[in-house]
Amino acid sequence: MPGEQSSTARAARSVRWKTAVASLAVGALFFALWLWLLPQWLGFKVEMAGTARWRRIAALPSVLGFAVALRCVWDFGWTGHGTPAPIAPPQRLVAVGFYRYVRNPMYVGFAAGWVGLWIVFGHANSLALAAVAAVALVVHLFVVFYEEPALRKKFGVEYEEYCRNVDRWWPRIRGWNKSH
């Protein structure tokens, strides 16, 4: 019946919008933590006076990295019907957008964003590099020992196929399209 399909379609769109908005709200909290609170705790100053001009070039990968992370937050809500927060994870496997190229684009995007900010604000030193390496190791271990097993359990064969076709950290040249 046409009336049933349109009301079902409206309900599906409503759910998509609600989960997308919830995901963006959670993403906004993450961005607030990473872009506002954490820089203050680390003593980053937002004044550019005296900054070497070449360091400003790092703003480009920083902006692009954070834009990738933001798009991933959107995909979690719109496609996955969930959020990046473990308490409200996606209900569907997200293999769209940047997730077609690499399995963890949100982490890669945040890493590029932060490394760019550290360079722009003159905090790229051996201590910062050691901190980046330590955080990267912790994130890698979290992904390998918590996230991936949880996704395997939740999505099973679908996730296994995704893992066979999309690398954890190194992006593909061409995006993967799940075969139907």
Side-chain angles (χ1 to χ4, degrees), residues 53-70:
R53 292 196 188 279
W54 66 267
R55 288 196 328 230
R56 294 179 185 177
I57 294 170
L60 180 62
S62 183
V63 168
L64 292 175
F66 289 127
V68 165
L70 181 60

Side-chain angles (χ1 to χ4, degrees), residues 1-42:
M1 301 209 161
E4 285 181 37
Q5 285 180 342
S6 64
S7 94
T8 303
R10 278 193 300 269
R13 276 194 304 274
S14 175
V15 167
R16 283 182 105 173
W17 276 106
K18 287 176 184 174
T19 56
V21 168
S23 186
L24 288 175
V26 169
L29 293 174
F30 282 136
F31 275 91
L33 172 68
W34 290 104
L35 296 173
W36 180 60
L37 294 174
L38 196 56
Q40 288 181 12
W41 296 335
L42 293 173

Side-chain angles (χ1 to χ4, degrees), residues 33 48 55 111-112 118-119 125 127-128 131 139 150 152 159 166 179:
L33 172 68
M48 294 295 287
R55 288 196 328 230
W118 284 16
I119 292 168
N125 54 43
L127 181 61
V139 167
R152 275 187 184 86
Y159 184 70
V166 180
S179 56

Side-chain angles (χ1 to χ4, degrees), residues 42-170:
L42 293 173
F44 281 27
K45 303 282 187 251
V46 185
E47 59 186 67
M48 294 295 287
T51 300
R53 292 196 188 279
W54 66 267
R55 288 196 328 230
R56 294 179 185 177
I57 294 170
L60 180 62
S62 183
V63 168
L64 292 175
F66 289 127
V68 165
L70 181 60
R71 167 61 194 261
C72 293
V73 167
W74 172 262
D75 288 338
F76 267 43
W78 187 255
T79 300
H81 299 229
T83 73
I87 61 170
Q91 300 306 303
R92 293 180 175 174
L93 181 63
V94 178
V96 300
F98 293 110
Y99 288 94
R100 294 176 51 230
Y101 296 90
V102 64
R103 288 199 317 254
N104 296 291
M106 194 179 310
Y107 294 128
V108 173
F110 270 121
W114 267 99
V115 169
L117 284 181
W118 284 16
I119 292 168
V120 167
F121 294 116
H123 290 277
N125 54 43
S126 57
L127 181 61
L129 291 175
V132 166
V135 168
L137 177 63
V138 168
V139 167
H140 176 74
L141 294 173
F142 173 76
V143 165
V144 170
F145 293 112
Y146 171 74
E147 238 179 40
E148 289 181 352
L151 291 168
R152 275 187 184 86
K153 183 177 178 183
K154 184 170 191 165
F155 298 114
V157 174
E158 184 182 16
Y159 184 70
E160 289 295 334
E161 179 186 9
Y162 178 64
C163 289
R164 281 192 305 275
N165 289 284
V166 180
D167 194 70
R168 183 182 290 134
W169 301 115
W170 298 107

